Amino acid sequence: MEIRPILSTLLRHKTAATLIVLEIALTCAIICNALFMIGERITQVNEVSGIAEDELVRVQLTAIGNDDNAEAQTRSDLASLRGLPGVTAATVLNQVPFVNSSWNSGVRLSQEQTQSTLNATTYMAEDQFVETLGLKLVAGRDFEPDEYLEFETVNGTPGSFSIPATIITRVMAEKLFPGEDPIGKTFYSWGEEPIRVVGVVEHLVRPSMQGGPAQREYTMVFPLRPTYNLGGNYVIRTSPERRQEVLEAAVDLLRKNGPNRIILDENTKTFEQLRSEFYQQPRSMAWLLAIVCIGLLLITALGIVGLASFWVQQRTKQIGVRRALGATKGQILRYFQTENFLLATIGIVLGMLLAYGINQLLMGKYELPRLPLYYLPIGALALWLLGQIAVFGPARRAAAVPPAIATRSV
């Protein structure tokens, strides 16, 4: 296929050619960034939490006024919850995954360190924490019975206190002690005493999105028994098919077990519901971006179809002459497809540069991560295919122009 005649024709229609190139460039730039943002949100929605979500329910309650007997009340509640039919484990937490608030603390590797190495969220655990959440220990062990402390006692102790042990996530262990065995290592967080790592769990997400995706699993667990009025979260594990039954029974039991408390019905639900609501915004954003991409591709395709149809109509005489001189239908078809390929290629090259510029702007304004380079060929391939499909119809009509009609028009 001779390229020179095509370039010569495009130069005679510079305005129309420039407009379609700019449209393709803008579409390519937006598509590349939009696909990246959609991918980010899909990854976020599908992230692994580390807990047995399909077996867990949460009951949240709050005390009316101060409860001086909260520790005993909590022990009574847990004993009663664990006795309910269908309950395999139950615990009380200061925070739960998939909410928009969390306990966070800086972590240092030495006492003299002034800047934290990282910021981690803190779960307070009582005896059935690991069993209830279904966490997977990949190194070390669970807490020993003599390592548990009552949070109210620690919180009311004047001066320094010591947390005897901690369990952290694998991600946090790799960040603090890269390439080393974290078991037995220490760090500093609460107070001035070192905290010894005794176990590592595979996953456990931070309740909120603080710190972004990179810090989702900077999580540490302290053997501090919280009371029900510290977050007010009872988490109960049961079989998936009995969740609703157990949830209703737990609510009735807690209402009878302590009348001076309020069950927060809007926050009392299964963890699958909590997860679904937590990721509603990124899920909606992904759909919105997908709709924008489809709309933009459709508009670009219509632009290519319109321009190609216009040029076919304008060049009917030229096409007829070529057909009369022996050009086959296939050669006419390839002419228009090659012409579109050249325009799309110029647009795509400009679009890639524009995509990079838009990503730099988004990084500066909204702290988005850098656009991975593999999204550029994905966007380019989409635009090339779109151009070839869009131009195929007009090109076929051009190829169908009979030489006789063209000859009569000379």
Side-chain angles (χ1 to χ4, degrees), residues 13-26 300 303 307 343:
H13 300 85
K14 283 183 286 192
T15 303
T18 302
L19 287 175
I20 203 69
V21 165
L22 291 178
E23 185 178 8
I24 291 172
L26 185 61
T300 304
L307 183 65
L343 291 174

Side-chain angles (χ1 to χ4, degrees), residues 91-383:
T91 190
V92 60
L93 299 178
N94 61 317
Q95 58 180 7
V96 296
F98 310 129
V99 296
N100 285 314
S101 66
S102 58
W103 291 53
N104 305 291
S105 302
V107 173
R108 296 167 289 131
L109 288 172
S110 67
Q111 203 169 22
E112 298 76 25
Q113 191 176 333
T114 55
Q115 297 292 326
S116 299
T117 303
L118 56 85
N119 183 284
T121 193
T122 309
Y123 286 91
M124 296 183 200
E126 63 86 56
D127 307 60
Q128 289 196 5
F129 178 84
V130 172
E131 180 185 355
T132 303
L133 294 187
L135 302 178
K136 183 180 178 182
L137 275 165
V138 292
R141 58 170 174 81
D142 196 356
F143 298 121
E144 300 288 353
D146 61 352
E147 291 173 331
Y148 288 101
L149 303 172
E150 302 297 332
F151 175 73
E152 285 199 338
T153 304
V154 171
N155 195 39
T157 303
S160 177
F161 61 89
S162 174
I163 296 173
T166 183
I167 294 173
I168 62 177
T169 58
R170 180 155 55 188
V171 171
M172 181 170 165
E174 289 171 354
K175 179 67 177 178
L176 289 178
F177 316 108
E180 301 177 34
D181 181 0
I183 303 303
K185 296 272 192 315
T186 60
F187 61 79
Y188 295 79
S189 184
W190 289 18
E192 296 303 321
E193 299 297 325
I195 305 171
R196 185 167 53 96
V197 178
V198 298
V200 177
V201 292
E202 188 173 29
H203 300 286
L204 180 56
V205 293
R206 187 192 298 264
S208 70
M209 293 301 295
Q210 178 171 329
Q215 299 184 24
R216 284 289 285 153
E217 291 196 40
Y218 287 174
T219 304
M220 51 190 177
V221 184
F222 291 162
L224 300 176
R225 294 190 181 105
T227 55
Y228 79 89
N229 54 359
L230 190 70
N233 299 290
Y234 283 115
V235 177
I236 306 158
R237 187 170 183 180
T238 181
S239 55
E241 65 276 10
R242 300 192 69 174
R243 285 176 294 177
Q244 191 58 39
E245 169 196 341
V246 166
L247 189 60
E248 293 172 359
V251 169
D252 288 342
L253 183 150
L254 291 170
R255 281 188 173 131
K256 294 173 183 172
N257 210 36
N260 295 324
R261 302 180 297 181
I262 299 173
I263 304 290
L264 303 178
D265 293 325
E266 67 274 16
N267 297 330
T268 297
K269 53 190 70 173
T270 67
F271 269 74
E272 280 188 343
Q273 291 171 312
L274 284 174
R275 181 184 181 112
S276 177
E277 292 171 4
F278 185 71
Y279 292 119
Q280 181 62 44
Q281 185 176 355
R283 194 163 44 241
S284 300
M285 180 59 74
W287 275 110
L288 180 63
L289 289 170
I291 291 170
V292 168
C293 287
I294 292 170
L296 202 55
L297 289 173
L298 185 60
I299 291 171
T300 304
L302 291 175
I304 294 172
V305 170
L307 183 65
S309 299
F310 174 68
W311 279 350
V312 168
Q313 189 178 11
Q314 265 198 334
R315 300 178 198 169
T316 301
K317 179 179 175 181
Q318 177 189 348
I319 296 167
V321 170
R322 292 195 61 192
R323 292 280 284 126
L325 292 176
T328 63
K329 290 183 178 180
Q331 287 174 321
I332 299 296
L333 191 70
R334 285 194 294 276
Y335 176 91
F336 281 94
Q337 287 182 314
T338 303
E339 184 180 76
N340 176 269
F341 182 80
L342 290 174
L343 291 174
T345 301
I346 297 170
I348 287 167
V349 171
L350 294 175
M352 286 182 175
L353 296 174
L354 189 57
Y356 180 78
I358 291 175
N359 178 248
Q360 292 296 309
L361 181 66
L362 294 174
M363 285 173 62
K365 295 282 185 184
Y366 302 106
E367 299 182 352
L368 288 185
R370 185 180 300 280
L371 175 70
L373 292 179
Y374 56 80
Y375 278 96
L376 299 179
I378 292 174
L381 184 61
L383 267 297

Side-chain angles (χ1 to χ4, degrees), residues 381-402:
L381 184 61
L383 267 297
W384 269 319
L385 287 175
L386 179 76
Q388 292 300 300
I389 293 171
V391 82
F392 186 71
R396 280 195 64 187
R397 286 199 296 277
V401 172

